Amino acid sequence: MSNRLFQGVIHQMRDAIDRTIGVIDETSVIIACSELGRIGEVNDSITAEVLATPGTFVVNGYTFKSFGSRPRPEYAVFVSGSDPEAGRYASLLAVSLSSIKQYYDEKYDRGNFIKNVILDNILPGDIYLKARELRFNADVNRVCMLIKITSKSDISAYDVVQNLFPDKNKDFIININENDIALVKEIRAGIEPKDLEKLASSIVDTLSSEFYTHCVVGIGTTVTGIKDLARSFKEAQVALEVGKVFDTEKPIVSYDNLGIARLIYQLPTTLCDMFLKEVFKRGSIESLDHETLFTIQRFFENNLNVSETSRKLFVHRNTLVYRLEKIKKITGLDLREFEDAIVFKVALMVKKYLSSNPVKF
């Protein structure tokens, strides 16, 4: 479509500019020209490096000016001649075509359409109309992932992720802001959540091992149809937010696996405060020292097994029993009892949530 768009402008301009004018793309092919017979010609002198030249430049008697900037110039206009007037014509054409391209992209580009869908910038009734206009396949399974860059390098993470998913008809890489990149991935029916986590892991590993850029990835649920992509994206956002509070060590957080953490995250803070006061009537959780809290954590990790926990902590079994009795005396909760252990585990998570300074309501 861009080729026809550019050719239409060049055709209208050819009488006003009494010179050979045209457009070349990043593969060195002439895609629009006032001399129709030259369309399709390859100009080997224009490489990607040459195309990235700022300002106008002259090659083989023609003045060029690049335009398009994501992630680097994709096109250049050319005007026959190397005189100042040719430079002015090239600059004017580049500005005009760049503006037209931007308008075209905003109106018709699928990537921009998907961005508007996941950010809720398009009315639900317009989604299917626009999808039909763009011949967008609305009946396949897709999932949203949110890649949050936590430490930067000189490499563009956006470019790296784009190279990992080159099929622009099926997968969409969207810059949300300076640190967030959305991946909308088409997937086959029957794909398991663990497969999506492997995919997310490959993104994390590639960015960190090859480009020294660290990130975390939130995974939304798989949806069918376009309208629900906004929900999958919000779920990926929630996964990262909840993971930041409860699973700080995990680089990949899936909305499907948040469990009770998601429930706590959605509770009003006033309710959380009331719950903690009710659970710790006899003694505050703050009265438990670091060693005791560490012991509790290990006890939970070993499924409330006293012998296994004492072995992992390198302490005598009686020492662990003494610590558990001390916790019972302070809090009134016996962690060897399943129900008390559940209440205490939830209370620890609620305390962690409140410590993250959520919005009070």
Side-chain angles (χ1 to χ4, degrees), residues 39-267:
I39 295 174
E41 273 185 25
V42 179
N43 187 338
D44 293 327
S45 302
I46 308 298
T47 61
E49 289 72 26
V50 173
L51 204 64
T53 305
T56 58
F57 56 94
V58 177
V59 176
N60 299 333
Y62 285 84
T63 300
F64 291 79
K65 179 73 170 74
S66 300
F67 66 97
S69 58
R70 216 177 88 173
R72 59 178 61 140
E74 306 147 274
Y75 307 98
V77 296
F78 60 85
V79 178
S80 58
S82 55
D83 53 306
E85 197 171 11
R88 283 194 296 275
Y89 284 146
S91 296
L92 285 169
L93 277 170
V95 169
S96 301
L97 291 175
S98 182
S99 298
I100 291 167
K101 178 183 178 298
Q102 185 178 356
Y103 171 77
Y104 172 83
D105 285 349
E106 286 176 359
K107 191 171 181 184
Y108 297 106
D109 181 63
R110 290 181 175 189
N112 197 66
F113 167 60
I114 288 294
K115 183 174 183 176
N116 283 330
V117 169
I118 65 173
L119 295 180
D120 263 341
N121 289 338
I122 183 169
L123 293 171
D126 292 340
I127 288 176
Y128 292 108
L129 291 173
K130 197 72 178 170
R132 277 203 299 273
E133 184 183 327
L134 294 174
R135 295 183 179 152
F136 193 88
N137 190 346
D139 300 318
V140 297
N141 294 332
R142 294 183 177 88
V143 68
C144 281
M145 295 186 186
L146 182 58
I147 303 157
K148 184 176 282 291
I149 307 303
T150 54
S151 73
K152 296 181 184 176
S153 68
D154 293 336
I155 300 296
S156 165
Y158 175 85
D159 292 350
V160 173
V161 178
Q162 270 213 323
N163 290 333
L164 289 174
F165 302 95
D167 191 342
K168 293 187 173 81
N169 288 319
K170 291 186 175 181
D171 304 325
F172 299 90
I173 317 300
I174 298 154
N175 249 338
I176 303 298
N177 56 44
E178 191 182 357
N179 297 317
D180 294 351
I181 300 163
L183 163 63
V184 178
K185 177 92 178 76
E186 183 177 315
I187 56 174
R188 299 188 310 276
I191 287 287
E192 297 289 326
K194 65 175 187 283
D195 297 319
L196 295 177
E197 288 183 11
K198 281 182 189 172
L199 180 68
S201 183
S202 70
I203 297 170
V204 172
D205 292 344
T206 301
L207 282 169
S208 63
S209 62
E210 295 183 32
F211 301 100
Y212 308 105
T213 299
H214 298 290
C215 69
V216 288
V217 180
I219 306 173
T221 55
T222 301
V223 296
T224 304
I226 304 170
K227 188 167 62 68
D228 288 332
L229 281 174
R231 174 168 57 81
S232 183
F233 177 69
K234 286 186 179 71
E235 289 168 348
Q237 287 179 307
V238 169
L240 284 186
E241 285 297 315
V242 174
K244 192 167 67 178
V245 176
F246 299 106
D247 290 308
T248 51
E249 304 302 314
K250 287 186 180 178
I252 296 154
V253 190
S254 177
Y255 186 83
D256 276 338
N257 296 333
L258 293 177
I260 200 167
R262 183 169 77 227
L263 178 64
I264 292 169
Y265 186 79
Q266 292 169 339
L267 289 174

